[in-house]
Amino acid sequence: MNYSKKSIQKLGKRLRDGIEDSTDLEILKNYRNFFRAPLVELNADISAFVNNLNLNYVLAGRLKRIKSIIRKLRRPNSHNMDLSRMGDIAGTRIILGSITDQNYLIKKIQRNFEIEKIIDRRDGETNYRAVHVLIKNKQNIIIELQIRTILQQLWADESETY
């Protein structure tokens, strides 16, 4: 990536303020694509790791859509959002059968990966339930890992349709 942290911060501010141009959108696409290889690598690592734990799971990764990145920057309650620190530009989700498996995997992930932050949204004020683990790779790139049970996933799918 040929962009400095400062230039990404400035890009995020222009996007948030709605004063971006077509060049800014191209830079954002390039910045987002920078996360592609680390995402694929983390998915492979997580898959191999969970296979060794003998858990049943589904794993899926994605790069956040450009429109979603801009929407997140522009949310009224996200006025301090900094594009260079946005932890979910690349993300992967693992879906497990039970809360017991979810708790077990969270503990194992904590012991075996470099964790930037854990956000446990299972006991929050909203109906959304999941645990988000921000994992830092060897190049200090942060990828979000969402850990959900199948019931949490079904609820999320249903609530997103409304």
Side-chain angles (χ1 to χ4, degrees), residues 80-105:
N80 291 325
M81 178 55 64
D82 177 348
L83 180 59
S84 71
R85 292 185 297 116
M86 191 178 285
D88 64 345
I89 291 175
T92 195
R93 178 176 301 148
I94 189 161
I95 303 166
L96 302 159
S98 69
I99 289 181
T100 302
D101 288 349
Q102 185 182 37
N103 289 332
Y104 176 69
L105 181 59

Side-chain angles (χ1 to χ4, degrees), residues 119-137:
I119 306 160
D120 190 340
R121 294 196 168 129
R122 295 177 293 178
D123 295 325
E125 297 175 7
T126 67
N127 290 327
Y128 178 79
R129 299 289 184 260
V131 177
H132 294 211
V133 181
L134 301 181
I135 297 176
K136 190 185 295 187
N137 75 2

